[in-house]
Amino acid sequence: MAVRMLMVCALATLVCRVWSSAEPRHSEKELHPQVLHPWRSRGKGLVRVKRDWIIPPIRVSENSKQIPETLVQIKSDKIFTGEVIYKLEGPGVDQEPKNLFEIDDKTGVIRSKRPLDREKYSSFSLKAFALSPSGERLENPTTIKIVVLDQNDNRPVFLHSPFVGTVSEFSVPGTSVMTVTAIDADDPVTENAVLSYSIIGQESIPPNAITKIMFGINNETGAIYTRDVGLDREVVKEFKLKLQVADMGGMGLTSEGVAIIHVSDINNHAPQFSPDLYSMTAVENRNNYELGRVNVTDRDDTGTGNWEARYSIGNDHGGNFAVHTDPITNQGVLTVVKPLDYEAQSKYHLFLEVENLNPLSSKASRLTSSIATVTVTVVNENEAPRFREDPIQIEVPESVQPGTLLKSNIAFDPDNSDLRYEISRDPESWLDINRDTGDITAKRKFNMRSPHVKNSIYTAAVKVTDAGGVSAVATVAIALKETNDFPPQVFPLTGFVCRGGSRSRNGLLLTAVDEDLPPQAAPFLFQIPDDLSANWTITQVNDTHAMLQPLVDLEVRDYAVTVLVSDSGSPALSAEAQVNVTVCLCDSFRDCKSEAGAILGSSVGINFIALIIIVASAALLLLLLLLAVALTACGRRHHIKKGTGLLIGESEDDIRDNVFNYDEQGGGEEDENAFNIDLLWNPHDAPPTQGSFYPGSGIPPRGKQPLRKDAPHKLPSPTYPRRPPADPTDIEDYINDGLEAADHDPNVPPYDTALIYDYEGDGSLAGSLSSIASGSSDGDQDYDYLNDWGPRFKKLANMYDPR
């Protein structure tokens, strides 16, 4: 292809004719591109080598106002018999950003459709095609590169607004403060992006504190530096600089910015006391309280280490005072850390020094350290008495004699006033104290076994009061030393020894009990007095036990052996005891057999005889009682005739006097446990009432009886049979009549109701049912008639069935 271009290039074996884009623009009719034939032969015998066209980039200025603008025309150098169609593809045509370029498909002229922006798209790479009407490629695709030329259409911009920096006061000229930076969106390889910095204004805070120019700036790098002396933070706090940046080396577009420079403090001022003389008052015997405050002035920056003060006391040798800094006010707070004593020293002269937390700068004025004098006057007050020790330690033996002096000179008064003493706590009342001198004495002997003695320490309390009524209390700790007050006692005092067998195994093991505590108790020494040791000996087993053994084979009886036991106290105490030993025959388990031993002088023997007598007497009484019961039963059975029945036999009492009239207690036809004996009553008595119960039945009173729900309330009751039959054999009819009347009585509970009964007193005039005609033995009775009385007496009939 031959292309109409903006420049001319000559290459070996390649000829390219380019029309300059700087030439005057012509209409499309005036455009006559040169048709090139690069592969035409120049002589016979030459071989044509086919090469593609190399087309230089097409340069187009951004923001062009001549739209549409013809950029280039492409044309194929081949001769075709048909029509040639030109196509263009790539970014700016059919790819994003679309519709920036177009091509005339018949002439091959490429035009821009809209103004271009280099800051968005700096170049485009397009593909040009020569096609036949059928779409067949006539040439290889040609690459066309379009470069957008930059114009100075962007102002430079500062990256920050404002810029903030810091410079120390009294900095020398040339001290770097900070660097400001700006950017320009134009092409950095052109003059459009070459920036230049400058300071166009300066303000001081406070205003007009300094009028001379204090700062400069490097116009290429934007570095700000000091250019003069006189930066004093006490005079000026900060500066506000007005900056400017321009492109094209300072000749193009401009922008403005702000830089704020703070003047930082250095410790060039030492703190000074104001005033330097102070008077304060302190109360004796108090500590950890504020005594007073001292003031300092410092012109350095408040709240920094150059301003914060640090105090010290130069001559407090006793360490009674301390000073610290109030972080808010920077004052020195003087405190009392140890109680002061007016009687020891009534006035103090303190020297306070002050310095900053940070070291003083070398640029500070040479001033001597500031010192303040503080005079502290101690105020006297009535002090409480003081014990020389608390607790008051006393060590005495527990058997100390009453009136013994235990402790003296236990307290004193700092104000030298008279003191009064008293015992404020003494649970066992063992102590006494002199009210004037405070001497503690023993009122009576101590006892180590008191519940108030813990770990051999008895604790009491003493109170002392001065003339002004101020008192103090101290604990008295009395360490009691154990003394040998009680002799040991032998235990047990009774026992048995088996007769015969191995002597080494026969014996009574003895021990001792001592109310004293170690070392006044065990080990114990067991002995038998020489004049009593003919038949017995005692052998020590260990520190607390010994074995009492016979020396010869003794008869079976009781023996009284005297044993002497001694403790290990100082001095040692001893006691004799009589041990009652029974010599008996033993079984294989080494237990005494039933053979009685001698009981003379033995409390165990006496108790055994008494027990035997009591048991024998009880057995005799029981035998007499059984005999009397048997005789009574035989007498009653003698009066019952054979075949007359249990309920119809002869009796001294009328049967009516033995059957009481009570309410129905449940059961009904199937209640075989109660036998319905509740329907038997004395015909001479009134009808049964609610609340009655059988004497001795064990049914406790429960309250009111429940009412029947199967009949109206308060209806008249039926007539109950009032007369018993003349012949006792008709008692079955008599009972049935009474049962039928009770079943149809609407004023009594039904027979299957749980009834509630009231208490009717102790005892009963009626005898037990078992007393009815029971004079003869069961074997003489004929109980067949019980089977004829109905199901109510079935249980009773079964009980007396001879089968």
Side-chain angles (χ1 to χ4, degrees):
M1 289 183 178
V3 185
R4 186 167 175 261
M5 303 295 295
L6 297 177
M7 62 179 294
V8 178
C9 62
L11 299 174
T13 69
L14 178 65
V15 178
C16 176
R17 185 177 180 182
V18 180
W19 293 348
S20 173
S21 63
E23 294 178 357
R25 304 290 180 185
H26 302 281
S27 66
E28 221 177 277
K29 295 180 179 180
E30 298 174 341
L31 241 137
H32 302 286
Q34 177 74 33
V35 178
L36 301 180
H37 304 278
W39 303 289
R40 184 173 297 174
S41 302
R42 291 183 180 264
K44 294 182 179 180
L46 295 177
V47 179
R48 184 179 68 174
V49 180
K50 184 176 180 180
R51 295 174 181 263
D52 289 337
W53 291 92
I54 297 177
I55 303 175
I58 302 172
R59 302 181 183 274
V60 182
S61 296
E62 66 173 336
N63 305 319
S64 175
K65 297 181 180 180
Q66 188 177 355
I67 298 299
E69 180 181 3
T70 300
L71 303 181
V72 71
Q73 182 183 18
I74 60 174
K75 191 174 182 63
S76 176
D77 60 353
K78 287 188 177 182
I79 298 175
F80 301 102
T81 58
E83 183 182 3
V84 178
I85 299 174
Y86 298 96
K87 295 293 183 182
L88 195 64
E89 294 180 357
V93 181
D94 58 350
Q95 300 178 18
E96 292 295 336
K98 297 180 179 181
N99 299 322
L100 293 181
F101 304 101
E102 64 180 359
I103 188 171
D104 190 316
D105 56 355
K106 296 184 180 299
T107 63
V109 176
I110 299 175
R111 301 181 183 89
S112 62
K113 298 174 63 176
R114 291 185 296 174
L116 303 179
D117 187 354
R118 192 207 65 83
E119 284 70 43
K120 292 184 178 180
Y121 304 99
S122 60
S123 64
F124 299 89
S125 181
L126 306 177
K127 293 283 187 180
F129 299 89
L131 306 174
S132 66
S134 63
E136 180 184 359
R137 286 187 183 183
L138 304 177
E139 296 276 0
N140 290 332
T142 299
T143 299
I144 299 175
K145 186 173 184 180
I146 300 175
V147 176
V148 182
L149 300 178
D150 181 50
Q151 289 185 351
N152 191 17
D153 58 345
N154 292 283
R155 293 180 180 275
V157 179
F158 283 106
L159 292 180
H160 302 285
S161 184
F163 292 90
V164 179
T166 303
V167 63
S168 299
E169 61 179 336
F170 299 108
S171 295
V172 298
T175 302
S176 178
V177 180
M178 61 179 172
T179 299
V180 298
T181 306
I183 58 174
D184 195 316
D186 290 323
D187 193 349
V189 300
T190 65
E191 289 290 326
N192 298 335
V194 177
L195 306 181
S196 177
Y197 301 91
S198 61
I199 298 175
I200 60 176
Q202 171 184 297
E203 296 179 16
S204 63
I205 300 175
N208 301 321
I210 295 180
T211 57
K212 59 183 178 179
I213 303 300
M214 297 298 297
F215 300 94
I217 189 171
N218 186 308
N219 62 346
E220 294 182 359
T221 63
I224 300 177
Y225 56 89
T226 60
R227 56 179 294 178
D228 207 340
V229 296
L231 289 175
D232 188 352
R233 195 202 61 83
E234 284 73 40
V235 176
V236 60
K237 307 297 183 184
E238 64 182 46
F239 291 90
K240 182 178 181 181
L241 304 182
K242 188 176 182 181
L243 308 176
Q244 178 179 281
V245 60
D247 57 15
M248 299 188 69
M251 303 301 293
L253 303 178
T254 63
S255 293
E256 294 182 357
V258 175
I260 297 176
I261 301 176
H262 299 284
V263 181
S264 62
D265 181 53
I266 64 172
N267 192 13
N268 61 323
H269 297 285
Q272 300 294 314
F273 282 104
S274 179
D276 56 1
L277 294 177
Y278 296 88
S279 294
M280 301 179 184
T281 302
V283 179
E284 67 170 339
N285 303 318
R286 292 178 54 193
N287 61 338
N288 297 325
Y289 67 95
E290 182 178 323
L291 187 59
R293 298 190 172 209
V294 296
N295 300 317
V296 295
T297 58
D298 195 321
R299 296 176 59 192
D300 289 317
D301 193 9
T302 302
T304 65
N306 300 330
W307 170 83
E308 185 176 350
R310 183 167 55 190
Y311 300 89
S312 60
I313 304 175
N315 61 335
D316 181 21
H317 304 295
N320 298 313
F321 304 92
V323 62
H324 66 274
T325 304
D326 187 326
I328 305 300
T329 64
N330 211 29
Q331 293 175 314
V333 182
L334 188 63
T335 58
V336 178
V337 295
K338 288 184 179 180
L340 304 178
D341 189 356
Y342 174 83
E343 288 73 23
Q345 186 174 348
S346 61
K347 188 168 291 188
Y348 296 84
H349 298 281
L350 305 177
F351 299 104
L352 303 184
E353 298 180 357
V354 63
E355 60 181 358
N356 289 125
L357 191 63
N358 293 338
L360 197 63
S361 173
S362 59
K363 298 178 182 179
S365 57
R366 296 300 176 182
L367 297 177
T368 58
S369 299
S370 182
I371 298 177
T373 302
V374 180
T375 301
V376 180
T377 302
V378 183
V379 178
N380 187 30
E381 67 174 4
N382 185 18
E383 302 178 52
R386 300 178 186 175
F387 287 94
R388 301 189 185 278
E389 60 176 344
D390 188 8
I392 301 172
Q393 303 287 345
I394 300 175
E395 184 176 349
V396 295
E398 63 170 332
S399 58
V400 64
Q401 295 300 318
T404 302
L405 178 63
L406 305 180
K407 197 77 171 182
S408 62
N409 193 21
I410 61 175
F412 68 95
D413 187 76
D415 300 320
N416 299 320
S417 63
D418 295 334
L419 301 179
R420 298 190 311 276
Y421 299 88
E422 60 179 307
I423 300 292
S424 61
R425 183 168 59 88
D426 183 12
E428 291 288 353
S429 299
W430 286 345
L431 303 177
D432 200 358
I433 192 169
N434 189 298
R435 293 180 55 86
D436 298 325
T437 64
D439 293 343
I440 300 176
T441 56
K443 182 185 294 186
R444 55 193 181 92
K445 289 185 178 182
F446 299 153
N447 183 8
M448 290 283 290
R449 280 141 294 281
S450 167
H452 298 98
V453 177
K454 307 295 182 183
N455 298 323
S456 302
I457 301 294
Y458 177 71
T459 304
V462 176
K463 180 179 180 181
V464 59
T465 306
D466 63 11
V470 181
S471 61
V473 178
T475 301
V476 180
I478 302 177
L480 299 179
K481 296 188 297 183
E482 177 75 19
T483 57
N484 199 9
D485 302 318
F486 301 94
Q489 302 295 325
V490 175
F491 179 82
L493 295 178
T494 60
F496 70 90
V497 175
C498 293
R499 180 183 180 186
S502 174
R503 180 188 167 194
S504 60
R505 299 178 57 189
N506 289 339
L508 177 62
L509 185 65
L510 301 179
T511 186
V513 178
D514 197 326
E515 296 186 30
D516 292 316
L517 300 178
Q520 308 296 335
F524 301 113
L525 177 62
F526 296 87
Q527 295 175 312
I528 297 178
D530 294 337
D531 54 342
L532 302 175
S533 60
N535 297 327
W536 296 88
T537 184
I538 193 165
T539 304
Q540 197 81 24
V541 176
N542 52 32
D543 290 344
T544 57
H545 292 78
M547 183 71 74
L548 179 63
Q549 297 173 311
L551 292 174
V552 295
D553 191 10
L554 301 178
E555 297 180 0
V556 175
R557 66 181 182 86
D558 280 358
Y559 296 87
V561 182
T562 301
V563 177
L564 175 67
V565 59
S566 304
D567 59 23
S568 298
S570 179
L573 297 180
S574 59
E576 289 185 354
Q578 179 176 301
V579 180
N580 296 321
V581 184
T582 299
V583 177
C584 62
L585 298 177
C586 296
D587 55 19
S588 59
F589 298 101
R590 304 194 62 78
D591 292 330
C592 278
K593 295 181 180 179
S594 59
E595 183 180 3
I599 61 172
L600 218 41
S602 171
S603 59
V604 172
I606 295 175
N607 291 338
F608 177 76
I609 292 300
L611 180 61
I612 292 297
I613 295 174
I614 293 173
V615 172
S617 300
L620 180 61
L621 290 176
L622 182 60
L623 182 62
L624 293 176
L625 180 61
L626 293 176
L627 182 60
V629 172
L631 293 175
T632 302
C634 291
R636 288 185 177 182
R637 291 178 179 178
H638 181 70
H639 296 281
I640 300 178
K641 298 178 180 180
K642 184 175 181 180
T644 58
L646 179 65
L647 298 178
I648 58 177
E650 297 180 356
S651 175
E652 296 178 357
D653 298 326
D654 196 298
I655 210 171
R656 293 171 297 175
D657 295 332
N658 296 317
V659 181
F660 274 59
N661 186 21
Y662 292 96
D663 278 348
E664 179 180 352
Q665 298 187 27
E669 293 291 333
E670 297 301 324
D671 188 355
E672 297 179 359
N673 294 323
F675 308 126
N676 280 307
I677 60 176
D678 52 352
L679 297 179
L680 301 179
W681 62 79
N682 192 329
H684 299 289
D685 296 333
T689 60
Q690 294 187 17
S692 302
F693 76 110
Y694 291 105
S697 64
I699 303 177
R702 285 286 186 88
K704 210 172 178 184
Q705 291 283 10
L707 298 177
R708 297 184 62 157
K709 296 183 179 180
D710 59 344
H713 301 308
K714 299 182 179 179
L715 293 179
S717 299
T719 303
Y720 287 84
R722 306 302 299 167
R723 295 283 184 180
D727 189 353
T729 59
D730 297 332
I731 191 170
E732 180 179 0
D733 297 333
Y734 179 78
I735 293 175
N736 290 332
D737 294 339
L739 175 62
E740 182 177 1
D743 287 343
H744 294 85
D745 191 349
N747 297 320
V748 298
Y751 57 81
D752 55 350
T753 302
L755 302 181
I756 304 172
Y757 299 93
D758 293 333
Y759 182 69
E760 294 185 353
D762 296 329
S764 175
L765 296 176
S768 172
L769 291 177
S770 62
S771 64
I772 301 176
S774 300
S776 62
S777 64
D778 295 337
D780 299 331
Q781 301 294 326
D782 184 5
Y783 300 102
D784 292 339
Y785 61 89
L786 294 176
N787 296 320
D788 300 331
W789 284 14
R792 301 179 185 275
F793 290 85
K794 183 177 180 180
K795 176 70 71 173
L796 188 61
N798 292 336
M799 293 174 59
Y800 290 90
D801 189 355
R803 293 173 296 180

